[in-house]
Amino acid sequence: MFFCPRSVYEFELFQDLAFLNFDIKLINAKNSIIDFFNEVYRYLIVHPQLEEVVISQVGQPIVELSEEEKILFANKDNQPSYKYFSGERALVLELLTVVLSENNKRLLNRDDYRNEEEMLQDIILNKFANRYEIAEVFAPKYKNHKHH
């Protein structure tokens, strides 16, 4: 399943993803990345048949998955970008669970001054340290891309 914001959707995206054997789920959340992740999480919980998950803030039909059992993030300045990541359902659900619970703690803790982006980077780098990889997902026009 390919999750993306309704705001970046174009019909060509649906066609290209269908060709890659991926269904698309449009997410309406506009206010924050956490709202977006919350909607994705709720959808995944009630659809246990989904195996491979791509979560993209970008309306490009790119489906890349890790060769290992890791979450694959797009590269942004040699750091993992939460704007695009993919992986097996269980691992993605685990990441989303940690993000949503950490965000609740952050909101309740007056001493936590991190914004959403800083919190997300902390979680990825610290709690998933050996469980992700970074790839040039948006490299020059699909160069060296393996489609699944």
Side-chain angles (χ1 to χ4, degrees):
M1 181 67 69
F2 187 98
F3 293 90
C4 77
R6 187 173 299 278
S7 58
V8 301
Y9 175 74
E10 292 176 9
F11 185 70
E12 292 75 29
L13 180 63
F14 168 78
Q15 291 175 309
D16 292 343
L17 289 169
F19 180 74
L20 296 170
N21 261 346
F22 266 74
D23 289 325
I24 189 167
K25 173 67 178 153
L26 302 179
I27 302 294
N28 292 318
K30 295 181 186 105
N31 296 337
S32 76
I33 190 74
I34 299 298
D35 291 345
F36 180 85
F37 288 162
N38 193 36
E39 276 198 51
V40 172
Y41 172 83
R42 289 197 319 227
Y43 189 87
L44 284 175
I45 288 296
V46 296
H47 293 88
Q49 75 279 12
L50 299 177
E51 294 173 13
E52 296 172 333
V53 178
V54 175
I55 298 177
S56 179
Q57 299 290 303
V58 185
Q60 291 183 27
I62 297 172
V63 173
E64 282 237 5
L65 295 161
S66 173
E67 296 296 316
E68 305 167 39
E69 290 185 18
K70 295 186 174 186
I71 296 179
L72 184 141
F73 287 93
N75 184 356
K76 183 182 179 210
D77 305 323
N78 294 320
Q79 293 291 321
S81 170
Y82 57 83
K83 298 275 187 193
Y84 180 100
F85 61 95
S86 63
E88 298 296 318
R89 177 183 186 274
L91 193 52
V92 170
L93 256 179
E94 184 182 343
L95 174 66
L96 293 175
T97 302
V98 171
V99 165
L100 295 173
S101 67
E102 187 77 13
N103 187 58
N104 288 338
K105 289 185 220 165
R106 177 184 70 95
L107 294 174
L108 294 171
N109 182 352
R110 279 184 270 169
D111 297 327
D112 190 337
Y113 297 106
R114 297 175 299 173
N115 62 29
E116 288 182 351
E117 289 78 14
E118 292 165 336
M119 181 197 71
L120 285 166
Q121 287 304 106
D122 282 352
I123 290 169
I124 295 165
L125 297 174
N126 298 319
K127 299 196 176 188
F128 285 80
N130 299 317
R131 301 169 71 197
Y132 74 86
E133 62 180 283
I134 300 174
E136 292 297 333
V137 176
F138 303 113
K141 261 317 186 202
Y142 309 119
K143 188 178 136 214
N144 297 329
H145 275 71
K146 303 177 288 283
H147 290 287
H148 298 274

